[in-house]
Every structure is written in C-alpha cells, then in structure tokens.
Amino acid sequence: MSRPRLPTVAITMGDPAGIGPEIIMKALAHPVVHGMCEPLVIGDAARLRKAGAVVGSPLEVDALKDAADADYANGRVQCLDLGVVPEDLAFGQVSPAAGEAAYRFIEKAAELTTTGQAQAICTAPLSKEALHAAGHKYPGHTELLAHLTGTPEVSMMLVSPKLRVIHVTTHIGLIDAIAKIEPGLVERVIARGHDVLVKAGIANPKIGVCAINPHAGENGLFGYGEEAEKITPAVEKCLAKGWDVRGPLPADTLFFLAGRGDYDMVVAMYHDQGHGPIKVLGLEAGVNITVGLPVIRTSVDHGTAFDIAGKGIADERSLIEALRQAVDLAPARAAS
C-alpha cells in the first residue's frame, strides 16, 4: 500500500552572517527531522558547508538549482542554492549583502509554497538592520511574508510547551500600539487564533484576552478606559459566536493561569506583553507561527545571535521544534 509523502518544508537560511546556517546543519543531523519531513534548505550551499565545518558536522551538502532535483533519501543536506552570499562574508556582522540574501531566501520559499512545491516554510532568523540596509523596509519575517503573499493582515503567534500567545500588535512602539488597538482588530486576531487551534484539534479552545492597563484598568482607576473602548466589544462579539473567550483580564494573572493550563491561548495586546512570558520559559522551546497567511510559516523564537555566530555553539532545539510545528500544520500530501 502506498503511503502519504512527508511534507516538504522549505527552511530559509536567514541572515547568512548569523547563526542560521549553523543551527540548520545541527538540526539536520537529527534523524527525527528526516522522519517527519522532507527538509529543503533555501540558501547558499557554500555557506552551509562552512557552517558545517564550524559545528563539526559530517553532513555533505548538495547544491541544487531546482527544487525538483532534491533527493531526500541520500543522507545529504538538500540546498536550493541561490548563490547570493559573498564567499568572504564574515560571521557576526551586519551587512547589506546578507540582508539581500535573507530577502531572496524568503522570496523563493514563498514561491515554492504558493506553487505547491513545498507545504510549509520554516525560517531561521534574519537581521532587521541588515534587511533594511539592503533596501527592504519590513519590520520582520511576518510583514515580509504578508507582502510576498498579498495578505492584508496577519498575526504572530508564539508557542511553547506550556503557553500559546497571539499578538494584536507586534513591531511598533508602545504608544503606537495602544493607538492601533481597536475592537475590530482585536476580534480578527482572536478569530485567527481560534481557527488555528480548532484546526489543531482543540474543538472549543479556551482563550484569555489581556488587558492593556495594570489590573485591567481597575474600573477606570488606571488608564483612560481603553479596556471598555478597545477590547470588551471584541470579546462580546466572540462570545456571541459561542466561543469560550474571557477578558479583558490582568496580564500578570492571565499568564500565570495559562501557564498552568487553564487557557489554551492568550491574546496579548503588544509585543513585550506576549514575548516576555514566552522567553522566560526558554528560547530553545519557543516557536513563532505566522497566522493568517495562505502558507504555513513557523520560525525559531530567537534572533541572529551575531555575538556567537561562527563559534559553533548555537542551540538548534528551537529550529527542530519549529519544524515539528510546521509539519503539524502542513497540508497532507498525496500518496507516493
């Protein structure tokens, strides 16, 4: 009997001056990765080989010109080689060349997923500074992929073994975030998170919604009524749909309750409100999922780590977990 093919996951190399090439070479040495997906690196074969030497990996790298040429059974790293990384690029330094390369990797991965040649994207970290230096003015992967796929609005979800957090706003200043939050946006973010959890097999997820102010405003004692104006109407609309949504709730209490399992997901209002608790639980276990795209995209929940790039000591565990999440969310493939 024929068996369904494993999903092909396009792994973008991220900023080639960061730890992306190293954690990819480390992750692909784990048999568990090859047991759950067909890993196709979108990047630069020479850079991967250099990173392999740095981390002491015995893996050889195949430089491919076409994704269709990948041989996932030969025991070597399959790299769609875009040939855009300068041979003398230093590790640990911001450069426009590295930013341009990171952009091109994402662009190619988006093309592969939208044409069905890959079923998901898993991204190694890029440098926003390098990306901007190359002329690509996007706050990060989330906004870049939204542009490349023509998606008007997406959300960032962070997942760890004990916590799921979806964000109403992300890469903007706190004052701008508070101004941007409004009931329609909050409702759409809750809906995107609810949809992901239902597809993941949680029939009626319990969702907690953070307040903006301490103590959820304490009936007007803190703030200027933001909870009643910006959040409560969205929660009421979700309740009217029959969803189990609670809030706005004080963020400090809500994260404690969610961490012990009382909630399936927390809706954070701004970047650090959601990122802080996840990162306290451990960068090696966190995964970033872009919710709302027409393609599946997961990512490590850490940066380029220029301070340790090229030293061979970067931890690959977040990348392995990101690959696992990508596989869990990826559409099924036809039998081979």
Side-chain angles (χ1 to χ4, degrees):
M1 180 184 293
S2 61
R3 299 174 61 184
R5 284 186 60 187
L6 295 175
T8 298
V9 179
I11 307 171
T12 58
M13 202 170 73
D15 190 302
I19 61 172
E22 294 169 70
I23 61 173
I24 288 172
M25 292 301 292
K26 281 187 168 185
L28 295 185
H30 289 258
V32 66
V33 170
H34 303 274
M36 63 187 178
C37 70
E38 295 177 345
L40 176 64
V41 182
I42 315 301
D44 185 274
R47 194 65 173 182
L48 287 177
R49 293 183 187 116
K50 184 174 290 188
V54 166
V55 303
S57 172
L59 295 177
E60 297 181 11
V61 180
D62 286 344
L64 311 174
K65 295 304 178 187
D66 193 308
D69 296 333
D71 180 357
Y72 299 104
N74 67 12
R76 297 190 292 269
V77 175
Q78 302 301 294
C79 175
L80 187 56
D81 188 3
L82 302 193
V84 292
V85 178
E87 190 172 334
D88 60 350
L89 183 74
F91 280 107
Q93 296 180 14
V94 174
S95 88
E100 178 63 28
Y103 176 86
R104 295 280 296 278
F105 303 153
I106 287 291
E107 183 180 48
K108 176 57 71 172
E111 175 190 320
L112 292 176
T113 49
T114 53
T115 57
Q117 297 176 78
Q119 283 62 59
I121 299 171
C122 183
T123 59
L126 54 71
S127 162
K128 298 175 181 64
E129 186 179 354
L131 189 68
H132 289 192
H136 304 292
K137 306 295 184 179
Y138 300 95
H141 273 121
T142 300
E143 297 82 2
L144 175 52
L145 278 164
H147 165 74
L148 290 171
T149 59
T151 307
E153 188 176 89
V154 295
S155 297
M156 176 188 292
M157 178 183 284
L158 302 181
V159 177
S160 76
K162 291 187 175 182
L163 201 60
R164 301 181 187 91
V165 184
I166 193 167
H167 293 68
V168 174
T169 65
T170 49
H171 297 117
I172 55 177
L174 185 54
I175 292 174
D176 294 331
I178 293 171
K180 184 176 180 179
I181 296 166
E182 53 86 18
L185 175 59
V186 175
E187 182 186 356
R188 293 193 298 274
V189 171
I190 295 171
R192 279 192 282 271
H194 184 274
D195 182 59
V196 166
L197 296 185
V198 170
K199 288 179 178 176
I202 303 174
N204 186 30
K206 187 173 183 179
I207 299 171
V209 182
C210 286
I212 296 172
N213 294 297
H215 300 267
E218 193 104 11
N219 295 317
L221 182 61
F222 304 122
Y224 298 92
E226 288 90 352
E227 280 73 27
E229 175 190 346
K230 296 171 175 288
I231 302 173
T232 299
V235 172
E236 290 175 346
K237 285 195 173 183
C238 292
L239 289 171
K241 299 175 186 177
W243 297 351
D244 190 352
V245 179
R246 314 286 176 89
L249 300 171
D252 53 356
T253 304
L254 175 54
F255 277 107
F256 167 74
L257 295 174
R260 74 179 189 184
D262 292 9
Y263 290 89
D264 296 302
M265 184 179 72
V266 172
V267 181
M269 291 296 125
Y270 52 90
H271 185 282
D272 285 12
Q273 187 181 56
H275 278 61
I278 286 282
K279 292 190 175 182
V280 165
L281 293 174
L283 287 175
E284 73 282 352
V287 175
N288 183 332
I289 302 173
T290 305
V291 180
L293 291 170
V295 300
I296 300 302
R297 178 259 172 166
T298 67
S299 177
V300 295
D301 187 31
H302 59 70
T304 51
F306 282 152
D307 58 324
I308 63 168
K311 297 180 180 180
I313 59 175
D315 192 320
E316 74 276 20
R317 285 178 291 175
S318 182
L319 179 59
I320 294 172
E321 185 59 30
L323 286 165
R324 194 187 317 277
Q325 294 283 349
V327 170
D328 287 346
L329 295 169
R333 300 189 65 172
S336 56

